[in-house]
Amino acid sequence: MNRLALKEMTRHRGPKFGHYVGEFATPGIGHILASAQCDFVFFDMEHSGFSIESLKQVVRYFEAADVAMIVRTPSKDYDMVARICDAGAQGLMAPMIKDAAEAATVVSYMKYPPVGKRGIALGAAHDNYLPGGIAVQDRLAQGNARTTFFALIETREGAENVDAIAATPGVDCLWVGHFDLSASLGIAGQFEHPDYLAALAKIIEAAKVHGLSLGRLVSSPDEGLADLRKGFDFCCLATDTGLYQRALITGISQLRSASSAN
């Protein structure tokens, strides 16, 4: 399958479907997602404990399967952002973006001069170890064109400043962190609460006004379809552990019920 690069995905509003990986970073995981026709993977380094060394391996698993990769960084610090990009991740999601200045800082860490301040190391993982011969300025421009920024809006402050965040050059997608957002609003897990719905509406409107993609992690197809109707175009279906656990619980429960009835 000839899939779109991640940057291209954020340039159109058609639906993109993917899956969250926070546990099962196995050699076959890329092809498993590809066989399910996933367009992208949400690879989580914030809550998983995955290291840079793990990331360097997994980047190749998804690259081989032609599945675009979004990596959630555990911090917004330069050393982490730049290393994730150098490891070969095209997409980077930074947590708890609170305002436009913070979004601009992360973008600057992802981009080479003159756009940003990312340190230059060519012939490495991010450019597939290409040898010399290509003009340096062209290689830097190509790197800047590939890197794609997903601003994670998951705090009261981020929701209040979301219009300015969305207007920040280099922001490609707004991603809603619904649990943290509800917690920041003092209504953890109350996704029908008026305060949460008002914050969500503001994020959706900012993405629409500024022509940005909009994404979220959902727990079911019904939830994902409801999001698509609201204007979301990146739909990440379930966590790897959640999906596996639900299927296993269902199967074992059915076996126990059937065997006890015999």
Side-chain angles (χ1 to χ4, degrees):
M1 184 182 297
N2 185 18
R3 300 175 188 273
L4 290 175
L6 195 56
K7 180 71 78 171
E8 293 177 82
M9 290 185 192
T10 66
R11 295 296 182 258
H12 73 83
R13 299 288 80 83
K16 282 78 65 172
F17 301 107
H19 179 53
Y20 169 107
V21 171
E23 181 70 24
F24 302 123
T26 62
I29 190 65
H31 288 286
I32 290 170
L33 267 66
S35 70
Q37 298 188 358
C38 287
D39 300 302
F40 69 93
V41 60
F42 176 151
F43 186 79
D44 192 7
M45 293 182 69
E46 182 182 13
H47 297 302
S48 66
F50 286 140
S51 66
I52 289 289
E53 191 63 32
S54 298
L55 172 65
K56 287 185 68 175
Q57 295 179 36
V58 174
V59 163
R60 297 307 178 189
Y61 302 158
F62 289 110
E63 183 180 78
D66 202 16
V67 176
M69 190 175 187
I70 305 166
V71 177
R72 177 159 66 179
T73 170
S75 81
K76 293 167 281 192
D77 296 337
Y78 171 80
D79 60 343
M80 183 58 69
V81 170
R83 290 179 79 194
I84 288 172
C85 291
D86 280 353
Q90 287 187 14
L92 185 136
M93 182 186 296
M96 298 191 179
I97 295 296
K98 65 180 182 181
D99 55 31
E102 195 167 66
T105 296
V106 175
V107 170
S108 77
Y109 295 164
M110 297 173 64
K111 306 292 185 181
Y112 294 117
V115 179
K117 57 183 71 172
R118 177 179 165 191
I120 300 170
L122 301 178
H126 67 88
D127 62 0
N128 289 329
Y129 304 95
L130 289 174
I134 302 173
V136 171
Q137 290 301 324
D138 289 342
R139 294 177 75 164
L140 299 185
Q142 290 166 11
N144 285 345
R146 282 194 302 270
T147 51
T148 309
F149 181 43
F150 293 73
L152 187 48
I153 310 301
E154 52 182 348
T155 64
R156 180 191 294 272
E157 190 173 7
E160 290 171 351
N161 296 320
V162 69
D163 188 72
I165 293 169
T168 303
V171 174
D172 298 291
C173 179
L174 300 179
W175 197 280
V176 179
H178 53 287
F179 266 109
D180 279 307
L181 178 56
S182 68
S184 178
L185 294 169
I187 48 172
Q190 299 180 49
F191 303 119
E192 297 302 321
H193 192 285
D195 291 350
Y196 173 80
L197 294 175
L200 179 62
K202 192 169 184 179
I203 298 168
I204 293 172
E205 181 63 17
K208 181 179 178 181
V209 167
H210 295 281
L212 297 183
S213 279
L214 184 63
R216 191 170 77 89
L217 173 66
V218 301
S219 60
S220 70
D222 286 345
E223 194 176 349
L225 290 171
D227 273 2
L228 293 177
R229 289 191 287 268
K230 294 173 185 174
F232 286 78
D233 54 289
F234 274 84
C235 179
C236 184
L237 177 62
T239 65
D240 53 356
T241 51
L243 203 63
Y244 178 84
Q245 187 178 54
R246 283 195 296 272
L248 189 60
I249 288 171
T250 298
I252 294 295
S253 296
Q254 290 175 351
L255 285 169
R256 287 193 186 282
S257 296
S259 63
S260 63
N262 292 333

